[in-house]
Amino acid sequence: MCFCHVGVLAKGNSIKEAISIMKPKSIFNSILAVLFVFPLMGTFAQQAASSGSIEVITTFDYPGTGNSTLPQKINERGDVVGEFIDSTGVTRGFVRFSDGSFSDPIVDPNDTVGFTEGRGINNLRTVCGNYLGSDGNNHGFFLSGGTFTEYDVPGAVSTSVLGINDVADFTGSFSYGSGIFQGYVSVGGTITSFSVPGAILTLAYEINNSKQLVVGYYIDSSGILHGYFRDANGALHFPIDPSGSTATVLFGLNDKNWVVGRYADSSGVTHGLFFVPPNNFFTFDYPGSTLTSLNGISDQGNICGRFVDASGIAHGFIARVTGTPPTKQAGPQMKAFNSPSLVTPLNPSPSAWGGAVPAR
């Protein structure tokens, strides 16, 4: 509104006296200003309601010199699970609690080679993850109250446990030894495996409490990474690829069906990805970094992720979704039900897995 004559009112004149000393032209301009501002206020209110952003709250590193910090999931308490890689290449899991303190390094008792990953955490602070055994294969674990429980999909040679919800449903990937990795979801103790048709690898990273969605990524026959989601009816929706993506990974989701991940472009830059099914996305880049990864998101809209600095060290961050970020449309997707197991051997080299087994 117009404050042109606030100085007159401040000197003790009444509103009537103030108006009486205003020139007709001034009155007319003031009325126009008021009429102009009210519609504008309505316009800004509408824009604010439909706009949003992702804002960084804090950054953090697991204590120690030269550690790369890779957060993976965040619960409603604000606890973050992840892993750190020290200067010698040893990988350990960790929990960063909501008060900013850290757990001791998480090391599975059967880890004999220096590779334990923290992958998921629920509101009860049950942690899931995997470790590399002396047999050279991944094996899953759950950690609750200081007690480790080992887990392998029955009959599998290799198992990863990548996400867990509040009722202990969990997701991951496994192989019977053929080299083909299938995704799986365990709901109420019943395991269902699935593969994206034509994929040489399918990984399931998280299931939400509502059980509406499972998200993850797969590698096609050309070695390209694509995102997918599996709905409550078991249908697979794929590929999920932002325009210009050369590799897409979906890592986490919440009960609003908001999904986070990352994608790489042809220039070699990796962008954080906020995805709203069925096909809308928003890009987030940590300032000054050429690699940003969004890995977990809570119902409150808190996100955990990482960025990589110029020296190649990864740092964790917590960000917050405010409003609804403006999204763009992803490419066209296909829809299919579960496919039969594949028999083509998987290339075991790290490059074929996008530089990590599985991506993190």
Side-chain angles (χ1 to χ4, degrees):
M1 289 183 288
C2 180
F3 294 95
C4 300
H5 298 278
V6 68
V8 176
L9 290 174
K11 291 179 181 179
N13 294 320
S14 67
I15 295 176
K16 183 177 180 181
E17 290 171 334
I19 293 175
S20 68
I21 63 174
M22 292 170 63
K23 296 180 180 180
K25 184 176 181 181
S26 297
I27 295 174
F28 180 72
N29 288 341
S30 298
I31 293 171
L32 281 180
V34 171
L35 293 175
F36 177 73
V37 167
F38 278 126
L40 255 150
M41 289 173 66
T43 300
F44 288 140
Q46 291 174 1
Q47 289 176 346
S50 62
S51 63
S53 63
I54 296 175
E55 302 171 355
V56 173
I57 301 170
T58 188
T59 61
F60 63 91
D61 292 295
Y62 192 82
T65 303
N67 289 334
S68 272
T69 304
L70 290 73
Q72 297 297 301
K73 299 292 191 306
I74 185 169
N75 66 16
E76 299 306 317
R77 290 177 157 188
D79 305 319
V80 174
V81 69
E83 58 204 71
F84 69 94
I85 306 170
D86 68 20
S87 57
T88 68
V90 171
T91 298
R92 299 300 190 210
F94 72 84
V95 173
R96 179 190 185 271
F97 298 105
S98 57
D99 64 2
S101 64
F102 289 88
S103 70
D104 291 335
I106 297 173
V107 185
D108 188 278
N110 294 314
D111 174 6
T112 60
V113 298
F115 189 86
T116 299
E117 299 182 300
R119 288 294 199 158
I121 188 169
N122 63 16
N123 288 332
L124 297 176
R125 288 180 171 160
T126 298
V127 170
C128 68
N130 47 267
Y131 68 95
L132 193 61
S134 57
D135 60 0
N137 292 308
N138 270 352
H139 300 277
F141 72 82
F142 299 94
L143 173 61
S144 180
T147 301
F148 282 87
T149 302
E150 309 300 316
Y151 179 77
D152 284 301
V153 170
V157 171
S158 179
T159 299
S160 293
V161 184
L162 301 173
I164 183 170
N165 68 12
D166 290 334
V167 294
D169 300 324
F170 57 94
T171 58
S173 182
F174 73 96
S175 170
Y176 287 127
S178 65
I180 294 297
F181 281 74
Q182 301 179 62
Y184 73 88
V185 55
S186 174
V187 176
T190 299
I191 296 173
T192 302
S193 62
F194 57 90
S195 295
V196 172
I200 59 175
L201 174 147
T202 302
L203 300 109
Y205 269 78
E206 192 165 27
I207 181 172
N208 53 12
N209 287 324
S210 66
K211 301 179 180 61
Q212 289 184 325
L213 291 183
V214 174
V215 299
Y217 78 96
Y218 67 97
I219 300 180
D220 68 19
S221 58
S222 300
I224 305 301
L225 284 67
H226 307 273
Y228 77 87
F229 66 90
R230 182 178 186 268
D231 65 28
N233 296 319
L236 298 170
H237 301 254
F238 65 94
I240 305 300
D241 288 316
S243 178
S245 172
T246 60
T248 304
V249 179
L250 301 182
F251 284 116
L253 79 161
N254 63 16
D255 286 325
K256 296 178 180 178
N257 292 339
W258 290 355
V259 182
V260 291
R262 68 171 182 256
Y263 71 97
D265 63 26
S266 58
S267 66
V269 176
T270 299
H271 310 274
L273 173 64
F274 175 86
F275 173 67
V276 181
N279 61 352
N280 291 297
F281 73 95
F282 174 75
T283 295
F284 173 77
D285 293 309
Y286 189 90
S289 175
T290 59
L291 189 153
T292 303
S293 182
L294 305 182
N295 290 65
I297 184 169
S298 71
D299 290 348
Q300 300 167 12
N302 294 321
I303 295 173
C304 69
R306 75 177 187 272
F307 69 95
V308 176
D309 65 22
S311 65
I313 300 296
H315 307 275
F317 66 80
I318 296 175
R320 179 180 295 126
V321 179
T322 59
T324 303
T327 56
K328 299 178 182 179
Q329 194 168 26
Q333 61 169 329
M334 296 180 286
K335 182 177 178 180
F337 285 92
N338 190 29
S339 66
S341 298
L342 303 176
V343 295
T344 306
L346 176 67
N347 182 347
S349 68
S351 62
W353 293 66
V357 186
R360 51 193 177 179

